[in-house]
Amino acid sequence: MKNALRLIAVVILLQSFILPAAVLAQDTKQAEVYAAIRKEGMDNSKIMNTMHYFSDVYGPRLTGSPNYVNAAKWGAREMMSWGFDKSELEPWEFGHPGWVHERATGLMLSPQADTLTFEVLAWTPSTKGIVTSDAVSIAIPTTPAAGNPTVQQMPTQEELTAYFDSIKTQVNGKIVFVGKPTFVDQSRDPAPKRRSDEEVKKQFDPTNTTPGGPGGQGRGAGSGAGVTPKPGALNPLQISEQLDKFLLDNNVLVRINESQLDRGAVRAFNNRTFDITKVVPTVVMRNEDFGRIYRLLAHKTAVKLEFDLRSRIVPDGVTSYNMIGEIWGSDKKDEVIMLGGHLDSWHSATGATDNAVGCATMMEAARILKAIGVKPRRTIRVACWGGEEQGLLGSQAYVKKHFGTAENPTPEFGKFNGYFNIDSGTGRLRGLSIFGPPEAATVLRDALAPFSDLGFGGVASARGRGLGGTDSTSFNAAGLPGIGASQDPIEYFNVTWHTNLDTYERIIESDAKTSAIIFAAAVYTLAMRDEMLPRFKATEMPALPTPVATPAPTPAATPKP
């Protein structure tokens, strides 16, 4: 008995030395890897070269277009040149033909000669050669709500039909301006480009229980004073469908919408039907040109315009692709950590901040680990998605095929260890939000604490399975740990988001490098841990949100969180 007690005492004594030494060795190893990540990410970054190819060479990258496919092929080849073990383009069905904008000119011929600034609405037809006509201005009639005159209510069917009948002869064979110019308040202060460290730390403080904080129940802003619904009023979708048909039936040469932005910015999305036979040639014109012509017409000054719009349909675009690259793991190879962003963009610019920089950043994070000789235990998989701008289509298709859902999982579901996503412009990474229990946020919060000097503020856990905003929510909706990025805003939502100003020049190289370094450390953490990232247990999985049976806006018009 005494010998047994002595043996136990010796074991305890040895453990008191060995365990701290093991922890110290582990911490030392992590510190060495983190130092190597920082050095590689700052001294040998490939981000701006990747940016050049994605934005300058191949941008814009509209889903279904040859530009998108060629950009994805280049990215796959580039990852292989960095020593990745595998890269491929994985197809998914877009269901619509592609569309390519080739050239567009628009001129004011009188009362003064001028070149107009605009962008063509995607999936709308070409003009029939060069078309010239007088300009006409129309606006759907609305009426002030009785309880709140600032709220304008839509017309009834009878009112809309009467209005269309009254303007038929005016619009026939003409170039038509639809709507009124947006008032831009020039007295407003510009939005801040950076967030303070204090604000970021408060947001990601796990003890913060204020509304909107990690521990609070955030609420959206109120919609203002309620009004009594107008009996029989049409909804915006019904009006839009009837307006499209009216303009088509009355041989309108070109439809002109207004950008609703200032400083010459133009944001052009797509014909919601993706069918060029259901709409007339359509452009979105900058506020400044639209307002000038609107005022001329309002003062009874005739305006003559000329347009030449050329585009084409790409039948092969019905199939699109996600670009995938892998660095294979060792003893846990069948377990996967993913990181990525969306590669597709809108067509008005070259898609630099939305979201070539996101793909370049995540490709770089994985490249850093490969370059410094990390041998990951788990497989690291980079994904650059297609179809995000049309409703997260590429990432949804991928998640459905590979993982299923918590309610109907595939065999790969249980081997998934988190997806990191970035998609809000060039601003540096300031924090992460992970779908999962608080323990999941703790793992990453502790691992990334050494990067507070780079402005990283922390990690919060989230429970929402709502789909929308960006590709990490495709994973959340399936019950998987999607990890979204919070970034410095710079001029993303108010300047570059989906506009003709989204170009290479808007990228802040130091911010992109910083983000890649932090993501590389995060991926390293999950790739090397003994345990998988904590997840919601089946009995604790949040329920899917109840579908809302109301007309939804175009997915691309929904800002990312």
Side-chain angles (χ1 to χ4, degrees):
M1 183 65 179
K2 288 181 180 181
N3 289 337
L5 291 174
R6 288 194 188 100
L7 180 59
I8 293 172
V10 169
V11 170
I12 293 173
L13 183 62
L14 287 173
Q15 285 180 335
S16 69
F17 289 101
I18 293 172
L19 290 181
V23 171
L24 180 61
Q26 186 177 23
D27 289 346
T28 301
K29 172 66 173 177
Q30 183 187 70
E32 291 174 350
V33 172
Y34 282 5
I37 286 173
R38 286 179 183 248
K39 180 173 176 55
E40 177 65 24
M42 284 298 176
D43 295 349
N44 301 311
S45 175
K46 305 294 185 185
I47 286 177
M48 299 312 288
N49 184 66
T50 304
M51 284 300 310
H52 166 66
Y53 277 91
F54 280 161
S55 58
D56 294 338
V57 177
Y58 297 111
R61 305 170 305 280
L62 193 65
T63 300
S65 70
N67 279 18
Y68 174 83
V69 176
N70 290 333
K73 287 180 178 178
W74 177 86
R77 292 194 302 270
E78 187 73 352
M79 287 189 288
M80 291 303 290
S81 76
W82 295 342
F84 282 33
D85 295 298
K86 178 183 177 182
S87 70
E88 63 180 346
L89 269 59
E90 183 173 309
W92 57 273
E93 292 308 306
F94 180 37
H96 305 290
W99 178 90
V100 173
H101 164 60
E102 294 182 328
R103 62 173 294 181
T105 58
L107 306 173
M108 181 164 69
L109 304 178
S110 65
Q112 301 294 333
D114 200 2
T115 300
L116 304 171
T117 299
F118 61 89
E119 298 294 338
V120 178
L121 198 71
W123 284 278
T124 57
S126 305
T127 55
K128 296 177 180 178
I130 298 173
V131 296
T132 304
S133 88
D134 291 334
V136 175
S137 176
I138 68 172
I140 299 298
T142 59
T143 53
N148 186 350
T150 64
V151 176
Q152 295 294 314
Q153 295 184 315
M154 294 294 104
T156 63
Q157 185 62 64
E158 292 75 17
E159 291 168 337
L160 183 63
T161 300
Y163 178 67
F164 284 160
D165 288 341
S166 72
I167 62 171
K168 278 183 179 180
T169 57
Q170 298 175 40
V171 304
N172 196 282
K174 297 295 193 298
I175 294 172
V176 176
F177 283 65
V178 176
K180 299 177 181 180
T182 300
F183 170 71
V184 179
D185 185 356
Q186 297 299 330
S187 69
R188 297 177 305 176
D189 290 329
K193 295 185 179 183
R194 300 283 188 191
R195 299 181 64 194
S196 69
D197 289 346
E198 293 73 20
E199 178 189 359
V200 171
K201 288 177 181 177
K202 183 177 180 180
Q203 176 187 351
F204 291 98
D205 181 354
T207 66
N208 178 15
T209 58
T210 58
Q217 298 297 319
R219 297 180 183 275
S223 58
V227 297
T228 302
K230 179 179 177 178
L234 299 171
N235 64 48
L237 180 59
Q238 292 171 320
I239 291 173
S240 181
E241 289 174 340
Q242 293 190 51
L243 178 59
D244 286 344
K245 187 175 186 304
F246 170 76
L247 297 178
L248 199 61
D249 290 345
N250 287 278
N251 308 306
V252 166
L253 299 177
V254 179
R255 171 179 174 168
I256 301 176
N257 300 331
E258 194 249 358
S259 71
Q260 303 179 334
L261 302 170
D262 64 350
R263 291 181 282 178
V266 177
R267 185 175 288 147
F269 295 124
N270 62 278
N271 159 27
R272 69 185 180 283
T273 70
F274 297 91
D275 185 345
I276 65 171
T277 68
K278 294 185 177 180
V279 292
V280 300
T282 303
V283 304
V284 181
M285 186 173 287
R286 70 173 179 170
N287 170 267
E288 295 83 354
D289 287 345
F290 190 101
R292 178 188 184 188
I293 295 171
Y294 178 89
R295 291 187 296 274
L296 287 168
L297 295 175
H299 284 79
K300 309 300 181 185
T301 301
V303 178
K304 187 174 289 293
L305 304 177
E306 174 185 294
F307 278 87
D308 182 11
L309 310 177
R310 304 183 194 180
S311 58
R312 61 184 172 88
I313 287 296
V314 182
D316 290 347
V318 295
T319 299
S320 190
Y321 302 88
N322 296 320
M323 182 186 81
I324 308 296
E326 288 188 347
I327 301 172
W328 291 338
S330 56
D331 61 309
K332 296 179 178 292
K333 180 181 178 180
D334 58 338
E335 297 178 8
V336 175
I337 299 106
M338 294 186 67
L339 67 164
H342 70 90
L343 184 58
D344 67 305
S345 76
W346 287 108
H347 55 292
S348 298
T350 59
T353 69
D354 191 17
N355 184 33
V357 70
C359 289
T361 296
M362 296 312 215
M363 289 167 64
E364 173 71 2
R367 186 202 67 80
I368 288 171
L369 297 178
K370 185 70 177 179
I372 66 174
V374 168
K375 305 297 183 185
R377 300 178 67 188
R378 295 180 176 86
T379 293
I380 297 169
R381 183 179 297 162
V382 177
C384 293
W385 312 108
E388 191 272 354
E389 298 294 6
Q390 288 73 44
L392 317 182
L393 302 182
S395 59
Q396 285 194 75
Y398 188 90
V399 169
K400 180 179 180 181
K401 174 182 177 180
H402 288 272
F403 306 116
T405 66
E407 292 76 19
N408 187 25
T410 70
E412 294 178 68
F413 187 94
K415 300 292 186 177
F416 182 74
N417 205 37
Y419 166 72
F420 294 92
N421 188 79
I422 189 166
D423 185 20
S424 291
T426 189
R428 62 179 171 166
L429 175 64
R430 303 304 303 277
L432 296 170
S433 176
I434 180 169
F435 176 80
E439 297 80 15
T442 299
V443 169
L444 288 173
R445 186 185 306 115
D446 292 347
L448 299 178
F451 296 93
S452 61
D453 65 305
L454 298 182
F456 188 76
V459 184
S461 60
R463 296 180 56 85
R465 291 181 68 182
L467 186 69
T470 191
D471 291 297
S472 55
T473 65
S474 295
F475 291 82
N476 299 354
L480 293 164
I483 308 166
S486 176
Q487 299 168 249
D488 274 335
I490 311 300
E491 293 182 324
Y492 182 62
F493 287 116
N494 63 326
V495 176
T496 66
W497 179 66
H498 297 166
T499 75
N500 55 332
L501 304 179
D502 186 7
T503 63
Y504 179 99
E505 287 74 16
R506 299 296 183 271
I507 301 302
I508 301 173
E509 182 176 356
S510 60
D511 279 24
K513 286 181 176 180
T514 296
S515 297
I517 287 168
I518 298 171
F519 277 119
V523 170
Y524 172 78
T525 298
L526 298 193
M528 306 304 287
R529 293 179 79 241
D530 289 334
E531 304 84 15
M532 290 185 65
L533 188 67
R535 285 208 222 169
F536 287 119
K537 298 175 182 177
T539 56
E540 300 170 349
M541 179 64 67
L544 284 164
T546 303
V548 179
T550 55
T554 301
T558 303
K560 297 159 181 117

